[in-house]
Amino acid sequence: LWRTCRILANKRRLACLRAVLSLPGATVEEIAERARLPADQASLCLRALQARGLLHAERKSRWVRYAPVPDSSVPVAAPVLHAMFRALLREGLSDRAVFETLTAFTHPRRLVILSRLRADAGQSVEHLARQTNISQQALWRHLSKLSRRNLVVPPPDGWRLAGTPPPLAQTLLALIPRGQP
């Protein structure tokens, strides 16, 4: 999940994904035009998205066409792609808002922290450090980022998940494997 979010948390790749979602089956040139990128940069972005299982590429003659078809061998691809479709097209969120949410999930340690807080709310930094095997200094950095992204709430009662996050964050939270250390 963190690798997929890291790929998505990029202005150019988000623009390319938005273009593919709004125009399935488009060529690299059509996607580049919609994303306002040079074709070579769009091609690199599309290949990165394809590598995470979010797009399917099909060559027809000299053209490569991209469609938002999740790769079944990547377990998080289908729910992430659906959530991105909802966020980018249905809800019309800005790339900046989507980027902000995605960056909360771009590090494996943050997923461990979120998993622990989902299982046991109201934890002190000391307790979280023992449970996650993350140093307190690193834990503070990650909790700070998660707090800025409105996913966790700081003490006085101990760190806990924030109320109801936006749908994209809800989907990503649900994809974090349960029982992470």
Side-chain angles (χ1 to χ4, degrees):
L1 177 63
W2 70 269
R3 287 180 177 97
T4 300
C5 290
R6 190 169 282 179
I7 289 295
L8 287 167
N10 175 282
K11 180 175 78 171
R12 291 176 177 163
R13 289 190 286 265
L14 275 177
C16 286
L17 181 62
R18 185 186 295 272
V20 172
L21 290 171
S22 62
L23 188 64
T27 65
V28 174
E29 289 76 15
E30 292 166 334
I31 294 164
E33 186 178 320
R34 276 191 179 232
R36 297 187 177 135
L37 293 172
D40 62 331
Q41 290 180 15
S43 180
L44 289 172
C45 292
L46 292 165
R47 282 186 289 201
L49 293 167
Q50 182 187 8
R52 292 307 310 152
L54 300 170
L55 300 179
H56 174 74
E58 186 175 342
R59 178 169 289 284
K60 290 186 180 179
S61 180
R62 65 176 230 182
W63 308 108
V64 177
R65 297 190 175 276
Y66 286 88
V69 178
D71 184 338
S72 60
S73 67
V74 181
V76 299
V80 168
L81 189 58
H82 178 73
M84 292 301 292
F85 175 81
R86 187 175 62 228
L88 292 170
L89 296 187
R90 281 197 202 141
E91 296 169 11
L93 295 180
S94 70
D95 287 355
R96 183 75 190 153
V98 172
F99 175 84
E100 290 288 318
T101 299
L102 289 168
T103 56
F105 297 88
T106 57
H107 197 287
R109 285 184 173 177
R110 286 196 286 275
L111 299 188
V112 170
I113 294 165
L114 290 167
S115 177
R116 290 303 317 148
L117 292 177
R118 187 172 56 186
D120 187 17
Q123 295 188 43
S124 68
V125 170
E126 296 79 17
H127 183 72
L128 267 173
R130 282 192 304 276
Q131 293 232 323
T132 61
N133 292 319
I134 300 171
S135 73
Q136 287 188 31
Q137 185 179 10
L139 199 52
W140 276 111
R141 273 194 321 271
H142 291 298
L143 285 168
S144 224
K145 183 161 204 154
L146 291 170
S147 180
R148 287 190 311 270
R149 301 300 189 260
N150 298 315
L151 287 175
V152 298
V153 178
D157 303 340
W159 287 93
R160 61 182 171 76
L161 292 177
T164 305
L168 176 59
Q170 285 179 27
T171 298
L172 298 174
L173 280 167
L175 291 172
I176 298 172
R178 295 225 181 249
Q180 289 206 1

